[in-house]
Every structure is written in C-alpha cells, then in structure tokens.
Amino acid sequence: MPTAAGDLKEEVIEWEMRPGGMLVQRRSDNSDIPIAQNLRIRVAYDAARYDISINPHATFGELKKVLREEIGLEAGEQRIIWRGKERENGEYLDMCGVKDRSKVMLIEDPASEEKRFIQMRKNAKIQATYHFINDVSIHIDKLAQQVPS
C-alpha cells in the first residue's frame, strides 16, 4: 500500500559525545524502564540484626562495604552466607536471588578473629610493661627526692 510523503514521521535522532570520545545516541528522559528500588536486607551478625538498604544490582562485595560502615568490621574479615553458601565479592545480589527483606548471615573470618586476639595479647603485654616502667620511674623519683643535694 503506497503512502504519501506527508504520512511518514521523520524521527530526529540526537547524538551526544561521551567523555571518552565515543559518539552515542542521546537517551530520552521519559524512559519506560522502571527504576529499581533499593532492597532492604536483614543482616544477622552474632546476636545483632541490621537492616541495610542497597541497590538490587549491587555485588556482595559492595554489601560488605556498606556493612563495614555499619558494623566496623573490615570487608576482608567478613564472610556473607546466603542460602547456606558463602558468597564471593563479585556475585550480584539479584543474580543470586536476593529479594527485598531477604535475610543474610554475616560471620567474621576465623583467621582474622585469631589475628585480632593475638594482637590484643601483644598490646596487653606492652601495656603491662609500660605500667611497670611507669611505677619504677615514680619510685626512682621518690628516692631521688630523699637524697640530699
């Protein structure tokens, strides 16, 4: 069926230059793609429970970074268990099936826990030595005051 030239809609394509020098078609602002809502994940760590809000397309490594801010445990010392398996940093939450209000378990890496315990023992020994030296110094000062000039 022939169409008249007036019936055709001419679509204008707008282009933009990206910082890397790549020329791409400009995205429209009224996109039909739904915006992903943040997931609310419940994290169990020891006896404490934490509610974390995170993007569903984030990785478990990014979740560890958020937990570091919340709990204070470094990302390398964290182990996240989801559905009975430890998850790697590069695995995506949505690809593993994590949904809104899902529960994950956080445990501390046993090696880092042992390392921290050893460091605490070293610090206790250093502190005890410092107190002993301080006591001896005070005692010497008292004796020095008793000596006639």
Side-chain angles (χ1 to χ4, degrees):
M1 188 165 140
T3 60
D7 292 343
L8 293 177
K9 283 186 171 179
E10 188 173 320
E11 192 173 322
V12 177
I13 298 174
E14 294 183 27
W15 298 92
E16 67 180 77
M17 182 74 70
R18 291 287 167 92
M22 182 182 289
L23 187 64
V24 295
Q25 186 175 353
R26 184 180 304 264
R27 297 180 189 152
S28 66
D29 292 335
N30 55 0
S31 176
D32 294 334
I33 301 170
I35 298 172
Q37 296 291 327
N38 278 351
L39 296 177
R40 289 169 297 195
I41 298 176
R42 294 180 181 217
V43 180
Y45 174 61
D46 287 338
R49 303 288 182 262
Y50 299 92
D51 287 324
I52 304 296
S53 179
I54 193 165
N55 186 310
H57 305 296
T59 63
F60 281 94
E62 292 166 350
L63 176 60
K64 286 181 180 183
K65 289 178 185 175
V66 172
L67 289 170
R68 180 186 64 209
E69 299 297 322
E70 187 77 24
I71 298 171
L73 191 62
E74 288 299 319
E77 300 173 346
Q78 299 176 21
R79 300 291 176 253
I80 295 183
I81 310 297
W82 164 248
R83 290 190 175 164
K85 291 171 57 178
E86 181 180 341
R87 298 300 174 161
E88 297 297 321
N89 290 342
E91 292 183 79
Y92 288 91
L93 299 172
D94 60 343
M95 299 299 276
C96 291
V98 178
K99 305 273 189 241
D100 193 36
R101 299 213 182 259
S102 292
K103 294 176 184 153
V104 299
M105 189 167 58
L106 173 68
I107 58 173
E108 186 175 356
D109 182 29
S112 67
E113 195 173 2
E114 182 180 346
K115 191 186 302 183
R116 187 171 48 244
F117 178 72
I118 290 170
Q119 186 62 40
M120 284 174 36
R121 286 183 56 192
K122 284 181 182 177
N123 289 346
K125 287 180 182 179
I126 290 170
Q127 195 169 18
T129 305
Y130 171 78
H131 287 301
F132 178 73
I133 291 172
N134 191 34
D135 291 344
V136 168
S137 177
I138 290 172
H139 186 67
I140 289 174
D141 288 344
K142 286 180 183 177
L143 291 174
Q145 290 174 355
Q146 294 175 0
V147 174
S149 335

